[in-house]
Amino acid sequence: MILQTITPTTHDLGQFEVRRALPKKERTMVGPFIFVDQFGPAQLDIGAAMDVRPHPHINLATVTWLFEGAIDHRDSLGTFSTIRPGQVNLMTAGRGIVHSERSPDEERATGPRMYGMQTWLALPDGREEIDPAFEAVSDLPVIEDSCAKAIVIMGELWGKRAATTTYADTIYAEILLAPTGSMPIEAEADERAVMLVGGEASLDGKPLGLYELTVLAPGHAMTLTSERGGRIMLLGGEAFATKRHAWWNFVSSNKDRIRQASEDWKAGRFPKVPGDEEEFIPLPEGRPKTVTD
């Protein structure tokens, strides 16, 4: 049973598009997921690049997952990690972190590929101000047969659990269906949704719209199928009892905490990113693209 279908807001960044499904006015969260961006597929020109300058986060964890391409991640903990397909990068902001995301030099030389997901998880009550942390996990469980394959990115699905840290109950997986492939969607999570990010697929016979976030009713077992092949993301988990607020790159249960983080960023009180200290994204003057209220 489908509860809701959310059409993302598309932002054209010149050589590639970013589609934001959450947060939206009609829904702000699915489980702990409060921000869902899908970008690409795109082939950038030789010499072009993605360059997201250093910027701050609080009270959330970012999850980066690529289908194609590569991204260099640097953060204020001193982390440097090149994200590639098959590896999940989980950056826990907690009480505060700064990071940048840029195309690697070798990608710039050949024309970067851009295709993947960027999501944020709100941290649960009592854990919003934990110490910042970073992890990259590539040894992820894979469930497959001749016509279907699923990679468990976070949480437990189909009897397999990923090693990726979770702070609230979380499910996150990439599903690849070959022509005539099918896969059951487990019904255990409080909240769950699917997004078709390539090809075509149906859910219990109902076609999925490309890049739409389809929110599913809890407790209902459903099956994904594809006639010609498709790529689908499954996400969700524990429903939060306490409301979360989002403004720009900040998420918190406390609006005053977001105001404090904004003042701290404007005043230069956040730490620098080693190896990427010269540039930064300034605090927005008006209403940012990401806001819940």
Side-chain angles (χ1 to χ4, degrees):
M1 178 179 175
I2 293 173
L3 287 182
Q4 191 176 22
T5 300
I6 298 171
T7 301
T9 301
T10 300
H11 301 290
D12 188 342
L13 301 185
Q15 295 200 18
F16 67 100
E17 292 183 334
V18 176
R19 303 167 188 91
R20 184 154 302 163
L22 293 179
K24 298 278 278 189
K25 184 177 181 180
E26 59 265 38
R27 190 179 191 101
T28 57
M29 297 179 71
V30 175
F33 289 84
I34 194 168
F35 177 98
V36 175
D37 266 9
Q38 187 281 329
F39 53 88
Q43 172 73 61
L44 278 61
D45 293 339
I46 293 174
M50 182 192 77
D51 281 300
V52 180
R53 295 165 290 162
H55 57 281
H57 293 287
I58 63 162
N59 293 187
L60 59 83
T62 68
V63 186
T64 307
W65 181 255
L66 296 180
F67 311 127
E68 295 178 1
I71 298 173
D72 280 347
H73 162 96
R74 287 182 169 86
D75 63 42
S76 51
L77 300 175
T79 306
F80 173 77
S81 176
T82 300
I83 310 162
R84 301 185 188 279
Q87 171 185 307
V88 57
N89 273 25
L90 175 71
M91 185 188 74
T92 304
R95 56 183 165 78
I97 200 168
V98 181
H99 74 136
S100 65
E101 298 160 293
R102 300 181 184 270
S103 297
D105 289 342
E106 63 270 22
E107 292 275 313
R108 296 168 192 258
T110 58
R113 294 286 300 170
M114 297 295 301
Y115 190 20
M117 305 290 298
Q118 175 75 237
T119 56
W120 300 353
L121 305 171
L123 294 177
D125 292 348
R127 305 199 72 183
E128 291 182 285
E129 295 288 332
I130 61 177
D131 290 341
F134 177 87
E135 63 186 63
V137 181
S138 56
D139 186 17
L140 297 167
V142 177
I143 299 94
E144 62 183 325
D145 61 21
S146 59
C147 291
K149 174 182 177 181
I151 304 171
V152 182
I153 302 167
M154 298 184 76
E156 184 173 347
L157 286 159
W158 304 287
K160 303 288 186 179
R161 173 168 286 278
T164 317
T165 298
T166 56
Y167 300 103
D169 288 342
T170 306
I171 57 169
Y172 195 29
E174 177 187 346
I175 300 168
L176 291 163
L177 298 179
T180 72
S182 67
M183 180 163 282
I185 299 297
E186 295 189 21
E188 297 303 315
D190 289 348
E191 298 178 345
R192 62 204 170 123
V194 294
M195 177 186 280
L196 177 69
V197 296
E200 62 80 25
S202 296
L203 191 63
D204 281 0
K206 180 177 175 58
L208 296 175
L210 187 63
Y211 307 126
E212 290 180 346
L213 189 69
T214 303
V215 183
L216 313 181
H220 288 261
M222 305 183 79
T223 300
L224 282 167
T225 58
S226 180
E227 291 300 315
R228 301 185 302 277
R231 185 191 304 266
I232 306 98
M233 299 302 293
L234 167 66
L235 59 91
E238 176 183 343
F240 277 35
T242 307
K243 183 178 180 179
R244 290 299 184 271
H245 308 281
W247 190 89
W248 192 43
N249 296 315
F250 305 131
V251 166
S252 182
S253 61
N254 187 332
K255 287 185 177 181
D256 288 338
R257 180 67 180 94
I258 290 177
R259 280 190 283 269
Q260 182 63 59
S262 300
E263 293 170 7
D264 288 344
W265 181 248
K266 194 169 185 178
R269 290 191 285 264
F270 273 84
K272 298 283 189 180
V273 176
D276 201 347
E277 300 177 355
E278 300 303 314
E279 297 183 304
F280 66 94
I281 299 177
L283 191 76
E285 293 295 332
R287 183 180 174 89
K289 292 179 179 177
T290 303
V291 64
T292 56
D293 44 27

